[in-house]
Amino acid sequence: SLAGSLLIALGVWVQTSNADPSGTGPNDKYIARVVAKYLNDEHLSKHQVDDEMSERAFKAFFKSLDPLKLYFTAADIAEFSKEEKNLDDMIQKGDVSFGFAVYARYLQRVDERLKTALAMLEQQHDFTVDEEFVTDGKKLDWAKNDAEIADRWRRRVKYDLLVQKADKVEPAEAKVKLGRRYNSFAKRMHQLGNDDLVEIFLTSMTTAFDPHTTYMSASTVDNFEIQMRLNLDGIGAALQYDDGYTKVSKIMPGGPAEKDGRLKADDRITAVAQGKSDDFVDVVDMNLNDVVKLIRGQPGTVVRLKVMPGGKGESKIYDITRDKIKLTDSEARSEIFEEGKKPNGQPY
């Protein structure tokens, strides 16, 4: 752990499923209580989980869900702020229901804003008007009403269209691309796993103590340990989410994908199958972590990928045998610089 900070990684495995806004998971009560106990007993600041931390956590939780203040309104915040000083008591009792209540409202707002954004895409925008889209949520208050939210989305869509225009994308193609992006974001928010939501909620409380104190869910711990071990079992390809698609961002040197030679950066993976005979699972619009879980596996096993080379055209199927990959690019490195001379003639 860092000085004054804690890494709270509980050994609780939770099967990933979409977070249910109407209820919580079977282990959530236990996890919340343990996190609160660690904070009270182990944090170097000796500050307790109290009303001050509750207010900080409240603000941090809404910021994590809506950093640009494009979804919630001032009325939403006012309604939930009745519990602003009670989150400390809830978490210490093992009650994380507040996080799920906020998430349910968030999904409602995401669906509403999606309709607004898609409608804005079909409007004519005057790019000669001198106006701005604020990309720093700290400089904004929560929108007072739906009209103010609609105007923010008009500016957001106009900004996104300008970015596409600067990239020399044709207007019709830009509309299709942005529409797919907005839809994909909404789908990903609905796919948020139960343990992912609990992680966001509890981390809002831990970071109220300091920015380096965090709670990690089981899947986050797995990824953290991979970074610490500097090796993983898989095909040796870095992936990223790109407008609903899983895109290959990098092929790792010495890994199975590089040795196979077919998979390249910018390829899109649209489906994944295990072994040489299992059915393909469509991964378009799937949460990136879930795609990664399908592709990772034990060394010596085969994974089949349905791939669009370069992100376009007819799909091809690549079968790649997994292996252990060393993450050499993430290794710590050092270099000694010599400068000047000490009194004894040796260089500093």
Side-chain angles (χ1 to χ4, degrees), residues 37-102:
K37 180 172 175 55
Y38 268 110
L39 290 171
N40 283 326
D41 296 348
E42 304 292 340
H43 199 274
L44 190 62
S45 69
K46 301 304 179 186
H47 201 299
Q48 296 298 287
V49 178
D50 58 13
D51 287 357
E52 178 186 350
M53 294 304 178
S54 180
E55 291 180 69
R56 293 184 188 179
F58 180 89
K59 293 181 176 63
F61 184 51
F62 280 92
K63 181 180 179 181
S64 65
L65 291 176
D66 190 6
L68 297 182
K69 297 178 179 171
L70 286 167
Y71 296 96
F72 293 114
T73 63
D76 291 326
I77 304 303
E79 178 184 341
F80 287 118
S81 65
K82 297 172 185 176
E83 304 292 352
E84 188 172 5
K85 293 186 178 181
N86 297 329
L87 302 189
D88 55 322
D89 301 317
M90 293 179 184
I91 289 175
Q92 292 183 96
K93 292 176 183 176
D95 181 2
V96 295
S97 60
F98 178 82
F100 284 81
V102 172

Side-chain angles (χ1 to χ4, degrees), residues 222-331:
D222 288 341
N223 290 326
F224 178 77
E225 289 180 343
I226 285 170
Q227 293 299 319
M228 293 298 98
R229 292 195 309 264
L230 292 180
N231 64 69
L232 60 85
D233 299 333
I235 64 171
L239 308 176
Q240 68 183 58
Y241 192 88
D242 181 33
D243 288 345
Y245 290 96
T246 297
K247 186 174 79 171
V248 178
S249 60
K250 179 183 177 182
I251 301 297
M252 298 177 184
E258 185 191 51
K259 293 175 182 177
D260 178 85
R262 291 175 291 176
L263 193 66
K264 305 291 183 183
D266 295 327
D267 287 354
R268 286 178 172 177
I269 299 172
T270 60
V272 180
Q274 308 302 321
K276 295 185 177 181
S277 58
D278 282 10
D279 293 336
F280 276 97
V281 175
D282 183 70
V283 297
V284 177
D285 287 326
M286 183 181 286
N287 183 291
L288 183 61
N289 285 335
D290 293 335
V291 180
V292 169
K293 288 176 184 176
L294 290 174
I295 296 176
R296 283 181 188 163
Q298 293 297 315
T301 60
V302 173
V303 62
R304 294 182 358 260
L305 308 175
K306 191 172 288 186
V307 177
M308 294 170 59
K312 61 183 96 172
E314 187 177 347
S315 294
K316 298 183 178 181
I317 295 176
Y318 303 155
D319 57 303
I320 301 176
T321 302
R322 301 176 177 106
D323 200 354
K324 191 171 289 294
I325 302 133
K326 188 163 179 60
L327 305 177
T328 54
D329 289 353
S330 300
E331 290 179 337

Side-chain angles (χ1 to χ4, degrees), residues 12-20 25-27 188 190-197 199 217-220 222-223 286-291 293:
V12 178
W13 182 83
V14 182
Q15 184 175 2
T16 300
S17 59
N18 290 354
D20 181 0
N27 295 303
R188 281 189 288 129
H190 278 275
Q191 292 173 352
L192 193 68
N194 185 90
D195 50 337
D196 295 324
L197 178 59
E199 178 177 347
S217 66
S219 58
T220 304
D222 288 341
N223 290 326
M286 183 181 286
N287 183 291
L288 183 61
N289 285 335
D290 293 335
V291 180
K293 288 176 184 176

